[in-house]
Amino acid sequence: MKKLIALAALALMTQPALAEDAPEWSLAIHGGAGTLDPAQMTPEKRAAYEADLQRALDAGSKILADGGDAMDAIKAAIIIMEDSPLFNAGKGAVFTWEGTNELDASIMDGRDRSAGAIAGVKTVKNPILLADRVRTDSEHVFLMGAGAEAFAAEKGFAVTPPEYFATPARRESLERLKAEKLSALDVDHKFGTVGAVALDRKGNLAAGTSTGGMTGKRWGRIGDAPVIGAGTYADNRACAVSATGWGEYFLRVGVAHEICARLRATVEVKAAMAGDKAPDPFVRTEEVQYIADAVMEDVRQMGGDGGVILVTPAGQAIFSFNTTGMYRGRANSAGLNEVAIFGGEEKASATPDH
């Protein structure tokens, strides 16, 4: 807490004037983080990933640019990645030990902190849409397995055959895991969970995450992706976060909520120190990055790895990961539009400060 107060005090003394080019809308996406080797990233493979990331980014950006809601933007972006066999979500999801594909997803609206989540579904093409339907059309937040599928059927979702989700590459990973007695980390090398966070022109935030979990998962294992506060969180007062990584550690840290809570506390400390001088204290980009990095360092020290994307009420789009790479992209109304895979590939002035 002392570090947080000191950071807020320093930023308050050096707070610049409001910039006219602050983005009116902002979007960030991810397609998973992990141990990515540049030497094994062929030009063809990189081009394929970048193309799908760009399609997802464009789908969400168009909605935001046209004045649409953040919730609709993140769903549009995530659906593109769920439909791509390159990512571990929807089509292309990893196999469980039993040789099935079990899908998890969650979504949250920063306006009222309404949320929906599903886990262990096997017959829903786009899990993010089912999670959102739980949010909007049920009295619950989290449904799982057969119950979630029964809810989907009742709400008119088509039953997608299991073979739709299966891909040869994912099946080979499961077979290798079993034959060589490996762990999921040995065969996956990356966490292909997908997610998106957005700020719309109305000032509303939203976050969503979708995954197939970990290769060879057993006993109904569920990671952080469908858990509100761990893999997904959105609050208009602080930020919107989507995570990807070793779920057991993200659950224990409560990564998504922890980041938002620290950001909100920073704003409140600034407000208390400034009084009437700063009724809407601004958190600088380096402060946002510091908070996200600190939470990810907590994950690392516990033994976990992965990454997060987040967007703030000021439109700052931030990435933080403790792996060699993370499939990611971001765009905003100020003209930013980029996708990246390895560390250090973003533009230096990607997130203008106020």
Side-chain angles (χ1 to χ4, degrees), residues 12-256:
L12 187 61
M13 290 186 290
T14 59
Q15 184 173 316
L18 183 68
E20 294 182 358
D21 61 349
E24 296 178 355
W25 60 262
S26 187
L27 172 70
I29 64 171
H30 72 75
T35 306
L36 308 176
D37 184 356
Q40 296 183 6
M41 181 63 70
T42 65
E44 294 78 15
K45 186 176 180 180
R46 181 176 187 123
Y49 274 104
E50 289 179 341
D52 280 356
L53 288 170
Q54 190 64 59
R55 288 199 306 122
L57 198 61
D58 290 346
S61 295
K62 185 179 188 309
I63 291 172
L64 295 170
D66 291 344
D69 290 343
M71 288 292 290
D72 291 333
I74 64 167
K75 285 185 286 185
I78 290 172
I79 286 170
I80 295 291
M81 293 184 284
E82 286 180 335
D83 290 347
S84 168
L86 296 178
F87 305 105
N88 175 22
K91 186 178 184 64
V94 299
F95 284 91
T96 67
W97 184 265
E98 291 77 19
T100 60
N101 307 108
E102 294 183 356
L103 313 171
D104 310 330
S106 61
I107 194 167
M108 190 166 184
D109 189 333
R111 287 174 289 196
D112 56 3
R113 285 176 283 170
S114 60
I118 53 96
V121 302
K122 301 178 182 179
T123 61
V124 177
K125 180 182 178 183
N126 294 114
I128 195 65
L129 295 181
L130 180 57
D132 194 46
R133 197 62 177 272
V134 172
R135 180 186 72 88
T136 61
D137 205 10
S138 83
E139 63 271 36
H140 306 299
V141 170
F142 203 162
L143 301 180
M144 64 174 288
E149 292 184 343
F151 174 81
E154 184 177 311
K155 300 304 177 183
F157 281 75
V159 175
T160 302
E163 54 267 25
Y164 166 81
F165 303 101
T167 61
R170 299 301 192 190
R171 191 176 296 279
E172 187 275 334
S173 292
L174 176 65
E175 292 171 352
R176 187 155 56 90
L177 178 145
K178 288 184 173 182
E180 301 178 23
K181 294 182 172 58
L182 302 172
S183 74
L185 300 179
D186 292 324
V187 298
D188 286 342
H189 301 297
K190 72 178 183 68
F191 306 97
T193 295
V194 307
V197 293
L199 167 75
D200 62 32
R201 292 183 186 274
K202 306 176 192 72
N204 295 316
L205 296 167
T209 312
S210 181
T211 189
M214 298 184 78
T215 299
K217 62 183 179 180
R218 305 175 75 176
W219 310 299
R221 179 265 185 191
I222 297 171
D224 66 299
V227 178
I228 300 300
T232 301
Y233 202 77
D235 182 344
N236 276 9
R237 300 170 298 177
C239 65
V241 179
S242 174
T244 173
W246 195 341
E248 280 67 17
Y249 295 94
F250 281 68
L251 283 164
R252 291 158 65 185
V253 174
V255 166

Side-chain angles (χ1 to χ4, degrees), residues 223-309:
D224 66 299
V227 178
I228 300 300
T232 301
Y233 202 77
D235 182 344
N236 276 9
R237 300 170 298 177
C239 65
V241 179
S242 174
T244 173
W246 195 341
E248 280 67 17
Y249 295 94
F250 281 68
L251 283 164
R252 291 158 65 185
V253 174
V255 166
H257 181 268
E258 179 72 9
I259 290 172
C260 285
R262 293 191 190 190
L263 277 171
R264 185 182 170 200
T266 301
V267 171
E268 290 175 348
V269 168
K270 284 186 174 187
M273 295 179 65
D276 295 335
K277 296 179 181 179
D280 185 21
F282 176 70
V283 182
R284 295 171 59 88
T285 298
E286 54 263 37
E287 294 176 90
V288 180
Q289 189 72 59
Y290 173 87
I291 289 171
D293 290 347
V295 174
M296 286 307 304
E297 175 61 15
D298 192 11
V299 172
R300 187 196 68 79
Q301 289 184 6
M302 292 179 68
D305 57 2
V308 295
I309 56 174

Side-chain angles (χ1 to χ4, degrees), residues 314-330:
Q316 297 141 314
I318 299 293
F319 304 121
S320 181
F321 50 97
N322 59 18
T323 54
T324 58
M326 180 167 73
Y327 297 103
R328 61 201 187 276
R330 57 186 170 184

